[in-house]
Amino acid sequence: MIFVTGGAGYIGSHTCVELLQAGHQVTVFDNLSNASAESLARVAQITGLGVHFVEGDIRDGAALTQALRQSGARQVVHFAGLKAVGESVEQPLRYYDNNVVGTVRLLEAMQAAGANQLVFSSSATVYGNPQQLPLTEDHPLSATNPYGQTKLVIENMLRELQASNPAWRIG
């Protein structure tokens, strides 16, 4: 079982298709703020398999913990987050609350549920204005907007979590 936050979104739903076709069972946790449950119906139509869907907000630690425990998942793919650069400039606190606080709640829920494997969907915005192309992962980090900054904060938090406890497997 794999737990996918933001699994009803564009990238999340495509990932669900791939996971199901690879033989995994999937639980999707999504508040549908940037997605539609219709995308999950399309996942089932494409694969002939359904996902277990839990509607909830990533900032709701109790709901996350309950959903993770009920799913039995030990692996999480994390797509849930606000993602519009322009909007993040206009509403930075909303982005920090949803993206950073939401990820903290997810990590706490994972600890409580005994899940320690995470794939995080970051963004090339963490590199700021490219110094060279193509971008590689060793490019200097320098976010230039609140959205990119939230992704960078999360990446740093995940590195520090993994360094503090090598049982965490984060990619």
Side-chain angles (χ1 to χ4, degrees):
M1 174 64 69
I2 298 178
F3 194 85
V4 181
T5 67
Y10 182 80
I11 297 172
S13 62
H14 283 73
T15 299
C16 288
V17 167
E18 295 299 319
L19 291 170
L20 289 166
Q21 289 178 335
H24 299 284
Q25 293 181 320
V26 175
T27 293
V28 168
F29 189 90
D30 200 307
N31 69 4
L32 302 178
S33 67
N34 283 320
S36 167
E38 177 62 29
S39 66
L40 299 177
R42 289 188 186 124
V43 167
Q45 190 177 30
I46 291 166
T47 64
L49 302 165
V51 301
H52 176 72
F53 174 62
V54 178
E55 186 171 351
D57 192 287
I58 191 170
R59 294 165 294 181
D60 185 343
L64 272 169
T65 301
Q66 180 179 1
L68 262 167
R69 283 185 172 149
Q70 287 179 345
S71 75
R74 296 294 169 254
Q75 297 94 16
V76 175
V77 181
H78 180 27
F79 294 113
L82 299 174
K83 61 186 183 325
V85 170
E87 183 180 71
S88 77
V89 173
E90 296 168 4
Q91 302 173 36
L93 292 179
R94 180 173 175 236
Y95 273 69
Y96 278 92
D97 181 45
N98 190 85
N99 296 359
V100 177
V101 173
T103 301
V104 169
R105 295 294 168 261
L106 174 62
L107 295 169
E108 292 169 341
M110 289 176 68
Q111 283 183 317
N116 64 352
Q117 297 177 43
L118 175 70
V119 173
F120 172 60
S121 177
S122 190
S123 169
T125 61
V126 300
Y127 300 115
N129 296 318
Q131 295 177 5
Q132 78 267 347
L133 292 173
L135 281 173
T136 59
E137 289 189 24
D138 61 350
H139 190 281
L141 301 171
S142 131
T144 59
N145 57 68
Y147 164 67
Q149 192 62 34
T150 66
K151 292 294 191 170
L152 188 52
V153 167
I154 294 165
E155 284 190 14
N156 289 331
M157 180 173 51
L158 294 174
R159 274 191 283 281
E160 291 166 358
L161 177 61
Q162 191 167 19
S164 75
N165 183 348
W168 280 92
R169 293 179 44 207
I170 300 171

